């Protein structure tokens, strides 16, 4: 299968005529030297490394699957999390008080003594290269040599001597992926060779310029893949684009008796309800454990899982069905959930390029299929899903967190965040330079301790245009007047890449936006802006209303419910949208409630009212206001 890229990558080198810059940086030389030492074509070594890490070293910090350095050499033995993702905190992943999950729906994750080979490649690289493991983790040049040793060894295993042209290394690249099925291994190798054909050039997180010259006519020899002995994954009845390797691993729909069942709800989407959101999660569990949990009828569910090392996709639910994943029943009923493998206890981990690309292809396919807009009020993180009630806000999850690269992700989606209005626009899109923007975070390794410096797409918000001013408070996240913090999981004073906000004021190098019912300031110098002007539809309270309530779900009015379906309370969150304030809306939606509390799907009911809501970007999370409470202020 040829994995055809559907997305334009801003970092691509357009043609061979552009040539290969020959920077004197040590990292470029490290690739050249390692390629010569192990007789690996340099373009193959560069292509594999780009797909693993985009040539970044991440300061020796591990990825979400325990991978280190530019070659993503894995050493996950001591990096396992102690509990699966949906057992953290107090969030009910179903997010519906009409049916509470079983008390046992959350299983401790046992530590595993043995890990699959794909999570132990650093150990193998150390054996082949003679380089100590400590150096392979911390020294980018040594890490590159270790990766070259692995590629050369894979070539020998296929009965071929190292050396020769890049076209002869397709099988070795497929082996390097660690995939256990043919479709995933070939999709990975196709991506690497696409990088080689189109070329790349970028400045790494270490400040070094690395380039790979495009070889447009390169046609790899794929015959060696047949000798890898890989299995054939079952694609039926998956709902995946042909551009990703995908298999069907179904989640169970099982009745326990006395009206209890798990681990999802049968539905008939989009006939019954539209799909409006795609929710990005990380798993905080190994791939094997993730699959085991989603196949547990007493656990919870999501639609797709994506493997970090190679981007492999497993589908668990039919898209017409409703998963229990987001902690908000209104969002669950109208969303598709994607879990991305990641199981490090420390949340300052990084995600692989292979997973980003596979995820972006899948999301683009889903968005086209269901008409989901490719923007940050519809393609949302779990950390952007609102709490349903005041009491649920503090327990809402915070993944994928401030280190998910939304700018790169949306570039892969073909919708990069660019200015669509001038510098004096009424609204802005948050868009810091991910690699260079490194705000301080705490709590990655123990309470209060600083996280390792790391690129971030999140901007911190303050009460005044001063770097020493207090952070904006979040009355829902910190009830009782508690302060927002620099904690990596504290979203109370954070704006994320791609989110759009109405401008409240500008003062020198500082910009204020309306956020959680007040002005929130961030440093936005013209020489290095972290936000750009954008066109947007804004809403504000109707004339005569000093304030309007804000909601975490858009449920119908009481008169819309038929006999036998209990009315669901429309409970305001502990925030207010005040007169004179404006917020970006992604459009209006009718109030809806999906009544699904019985195993027999024939007893499920969609209640749709006359009341309409505007979804707004209110804080770090989205929220809803009644259309009757607001008016469209500007465009």
């Amino acid at each position: 299968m040829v994995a055809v890229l559907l997305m334009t990558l801003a970092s691509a080198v357009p043609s061979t005529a552009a040539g290969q810059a020959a920077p004197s940086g040590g990292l470029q030389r490290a690739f050249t030297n390692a390629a010569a030492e192990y007789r690996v074509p340099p373009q193959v070594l560069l292509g594999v490394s780009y797909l693993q890490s985009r040539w970044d070293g991440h300061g020796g910090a591990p990825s979400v699957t325990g991978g280190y350095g530019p070659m993503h050499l894995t050493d996950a033995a001591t990096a396992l999390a102690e509990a699966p993702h949906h057992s953290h905190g107090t969030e009910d992943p179903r997010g519906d008080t009409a049916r509470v999950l079983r008390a046992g729906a959350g299983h401790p994750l046992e530590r595993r003594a043995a890990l699959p080979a794909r999570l132990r490649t650093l150990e193998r690289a150390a054996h082949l290269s003679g380089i100590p493991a400590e150096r392979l983790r911390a020294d980018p040049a040594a890490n590159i040599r270790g990766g070259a040793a692995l590629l050369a060894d894979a070539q020998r295993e296929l009965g071929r001597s190292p050396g020769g042209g890049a076209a002869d290394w397709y099988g070795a690249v497929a082996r390097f992926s660690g995939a256990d099925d043919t479709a995933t291994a070939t999709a990975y190798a196709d991506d690497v060779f696409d990088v080689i054909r189109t070329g790349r050039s970028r400045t790494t997180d270490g400040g070094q310029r690395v380039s790979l010259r495009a070889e447009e006519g390169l046609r790899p020899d794929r015959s060696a893949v047949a000798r890898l002995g890989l299995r054939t994954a079952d694609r039926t009845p998956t709902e995946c684009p042909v551009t990703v390797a995908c298999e069907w691993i179904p989640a169970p729909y099982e009745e326990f008796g006395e009206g209890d069942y798990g681990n999802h709800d049968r539905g008939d989407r989009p006939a019954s309800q539209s799909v409006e959101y795609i929710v990005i999660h990380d798993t905080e569990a190994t791939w094997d454990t993730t699959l085991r949990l989603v196949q547990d009828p007493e656990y919870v569910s999501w639609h797709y899982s994506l493997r970090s090392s190679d981007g492999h996709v497993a589908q668990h639910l039919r898209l017409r069905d409703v998963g229990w994943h987001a902690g908000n029943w209104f969002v669950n009923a109208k969303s598709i959930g994607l879990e991305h493998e990641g199981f490090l206890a420390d949340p300052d981990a990084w995600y692989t390029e292979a997973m980003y690309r596979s995820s972006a292809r899948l999301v683009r396919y889903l968005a086209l299929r269901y008409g989901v807009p490719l923007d940050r009020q519809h393609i949302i993180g779990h950390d952007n899903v609102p709490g349903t009630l005041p009491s649920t806000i503090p327990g809402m999850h915070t993944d994928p967190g401030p280190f998910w690269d939304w700018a790169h992700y949306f570039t892969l989606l073909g919708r990069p965040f660019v200015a669509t209005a001038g510098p004096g626009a009424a609204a802005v899109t948050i868009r810091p330079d991910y690699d260079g923007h490194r705000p301080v975070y705490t709590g990655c390794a123990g309470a209060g301790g600083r996280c390792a410096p790391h690129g971030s797409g999140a901007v911190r918000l303050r009460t005044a245009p001063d770097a020493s001013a207090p952070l904006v408070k979040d009355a829902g996240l910190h009830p009782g007047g508690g302060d927002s913090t620099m904690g990596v999981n504290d979203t109370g004073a954070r704006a994320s890449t791609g989110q759009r906000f109405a401008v409240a004021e500008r003062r020198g190098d500082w910009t204020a936006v309306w956020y959680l019912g007040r002005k929130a300031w961030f440093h936005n110098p013209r020489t290095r802006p972290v936000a750009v002007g954008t066109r947007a539809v804004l809403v504000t309270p109707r004339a005569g209303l000093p304030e309007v309530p804000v909601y975490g779900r858009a449920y119908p009015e009481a008169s819309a419910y038929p006999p036998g379906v209990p009315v669901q309370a429309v409970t305001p969150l502990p925030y207010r949208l005040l007169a004179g304030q404006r917020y970006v809306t992604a459009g209006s939606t009718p109030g809806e409630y999906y009544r699904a509390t019985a195993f027999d799907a024939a007893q499920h009911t969609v209640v749709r009212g006359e009341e309409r809501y505007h979804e707004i970007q209110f804080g770090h999370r989205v929220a809803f206001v009644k259309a009757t409470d607001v008016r469209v202020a500007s465009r």
Side-chain angles (χ1 to χ4, degrees), residues 268-596:
D268 189 25
R269 304 183 309 179
S272 59
Q273 285 187 285
S274 60
V275 173
E276 300 288 344
Y277 307 99
I278 299 172
V279 182
I280 305 300
H281 304 257
D282 71 38
T283 64
E284 298 182 19
T286 64
W287 178 255
D288 292 344
T289 299
T290 296
L291 299 186
R292 177 175 60 80
L293 290 172
V294 80
Q295 293 177 91
D296 184 343
E298 297 186 24
Y299 198 57
V300 294
S301 58
W302 49 93
H303 293 84
Y304 299 93
S305 295
L306 290 95
R307 193 161 61 199
S308 174
S309 59
D310 51 26
H312 178 72
V313 177
Q315 183 175 354
H316 311 300
L317 303 180
R318 299 301 299 267
L319 293 174
R320 67 187 179 215
D321 294 335
V322 176
W324 303 348
H325 61 93
N328 183 314
W329 184 241
F330 178 82
V331 174
N332 276 343
K334 298 175 74 66
S335 72
I336 297 167
L338 277 63
E339 290 276 5
H340 297 75
E341 182 190 14
F343 59 93
L344 287 187
D346 294 339
D348 61 337
W350 49 280
Y351 301 86
T352 65
E353 177 71 359
M355 186 164 66
Y356 274 130
R357 287 179 172 230
S358 185
S359 179
R361 291 186 179 113
L362 177 59
V363 167
R364 187 171 177 86
Y365 162 83
L366 296 171
L368 289 171
R369 176 168 173 167
Y370 290 104
V372 177
L374 290 174
D375 62 42
R376 285 285 281 114
Q377 283 183 248
H378 295 90
I379 312 300
I380 59 178
H382 196 175
D383 56 348
N384 305 133
V385 176
T388 54
L389 301 167
S391 61
T392 66
I393 295 173
M396 295 298 289
H397 282 201
T398 61
D399 58 298
F403 305 121
W404 180 267
D405 192 346
W406 287 107
H408 180 57
Y409 193 57
F410 268 74
T411 296
L412 292 171
L413 286 171
R415 293 294 178 88
F417 300 121
V418 297
T420 57
V428 292
T429 297
I430 304 298
R431 198 198 65 179
D433 173 55
Y434 180 90
D435 291 330
H437 180 66
R438 298 189 172 199
V440 172
Y441 290 102
T442 61
C444 291
R450 284 197 174 195
C451 303
H454 200 291
S456 173
V459 173
R460 195 160 283 129
L461 303 172
R462 300 189 178 274
T463 57
D466 187 324
S468 63
L471 297 174
V472 170
K473 291 187 177 183
D474 185 329
L477 186 60
H478 301 288
D483 293 332
S484 295
T485 71
M486 296 187 297
V488 70
N489 291 310
D490 189 333
T491 61
R494 185 182 297 171
S496 181
T497 292
Q499 292 178 337
R500 297 179 298 162
F501 297 93
V503 174
E505 187 179 348
R506 290 183 173 91
R507 198 180 301 176
D509 285 343
W510 289 79
T511 300
V513 295
W514 294 116
Y515 183 96
L516 294 179
R518 64 167 302 156
K519 285 184 182 179
W521 292 88
F522 60 91
H523 193 228
N524 188 32
R526 291 188 178 184
T527 56
R528 195 171 184 177
V530 298
V532 295
T534 190
R535 296 182 60 197
V537 179
L538 308 178
V539 296
T540 191
R542 289 187 181 275
L545 294 179
E547 62 181 36
V548 299
V550 178
Y551 305 94
R553 49 193 178 184
Y555 278 172
E557 66 278 9
S559 61
Y561 289 80
V565 177
V567 174
Q568 299 299 300
V570 183
T571 305
L573 300 179
Y575 312 109
R576 291 292 183 270
L577 195 165
L578 303 178
Q581 296 182 1
R582 297 179 299 173
Y583 292 84
V584 173
T585 176
S588 65
T589 184
E592 290 185 354
Y593 173 61
Y594 181 40
R595 174 71 174 177

